[in-house]
Amino acid sequence: MPIIDHSDVRLAPTTERVRERYLVSKDLGAVSLTVKEVEISPGWEGRMHTHPIDVSIQILSGAIQIILDDEVRTVRAGTTLLVPPLVPYKMIHHLWTPVLLLITYPSSELQTDYLE
């Protein structure tokens, strides 16, 4: 059983207001699970997209807006978003401080289909 020390896994350099690090991944020995930490700075906007599998997005600190189907909501730390397969969504971060997310999905490769 691998033990992954988070302090050994560095956040990647910021690209387009986003930094991420994989805490569980194929490169770290997982066969069918990915867990990544993502830090998003204010001013970032994602694109509407879907995935063929469930995606769990936990807000660890800060807040972010999400468009899920036709609903727009601001979600804050202490919230978990469960995005079902094939449901269109996107995240927008126009608030004041960075948001820290923990994203989990049951696959070592995440297929993303962009709608915009």
Side-chain angles (χ1 to χ4, degrees), residues 32-81:
S32 61
L33 180 66
T34 300
V35 178
K36 67 181 180 176
E37 187 178 77
V38 179
E39 180 185 80
I40 301 173
S41 296
W44 178 85
E45 183 169 331
R47 294 168 39 199
M48 187 67 75
H49 64 283
T50 64
H51 304 291
I53 57 177
D54 290 314
V55 175
S56 168
I57 304 169
Q58 296 175 325
I59 294 81
L60 301 178
S61 66
I64 195 164
Q65 292 176 308
I66 187 163
I67 299 172
L68 187 61
D69 269 338
D70 293 326
E71 182 180 2
V72 179
R73 294 196 47 195
T74 299
V75 290
R76 303 181 190 303
T79 304
T80 297
L81 305 168

Side-chain angles (χ1 to χ4, degrees), residues 8 13 18-19 24 26 33 40 49 54 58 77 84 86 95 111:
D8 291 338
V18 176
R19 295 189 324 155
V24 176
K26 179 171 57 174
L33 180 66
I40 301 173
H49 64 283
D54 290 314
Q58 296 175 325
L86 305 177
L95 302 172
Q111 178 186 330

Side-chain angles (χ1 to χ4, degrees), residues 63-110:
I64 195 164
Q65 292 176 308
I66 187 163
I67 299 172
L68 187 61
D69 269 338
D70 293 326
E71 182 180 2
V72 179
R73 294 196 47 195
T74 299
V75 290
R76 303 181 190 303
T79 304
T80 297
L81 305 168
L82 178 58
V83 182
L86 305 177
V87 172
Y89 77 102
K90 82 181 212 180
M91 293 185 287
I92 303 169
H93 189 32
H94 292 295
L95 302 172
W96 306 273
T97 59
V99 63
L100 186 62
L101 309 172
L102 190 66
I103 300 175
T104 305
Y105 46 90
S107 174
S108 61
E109 300 287 333
L110 184 60

Side-chain angles (χ1 to χ4, degrees), residues 10-15 18-21:
R10 302 271 182 238
L11 278 165
T14 302
T15 57
V18 176
R19 295 189 324 155
E20 64 184 24
R21 67 179 177 164

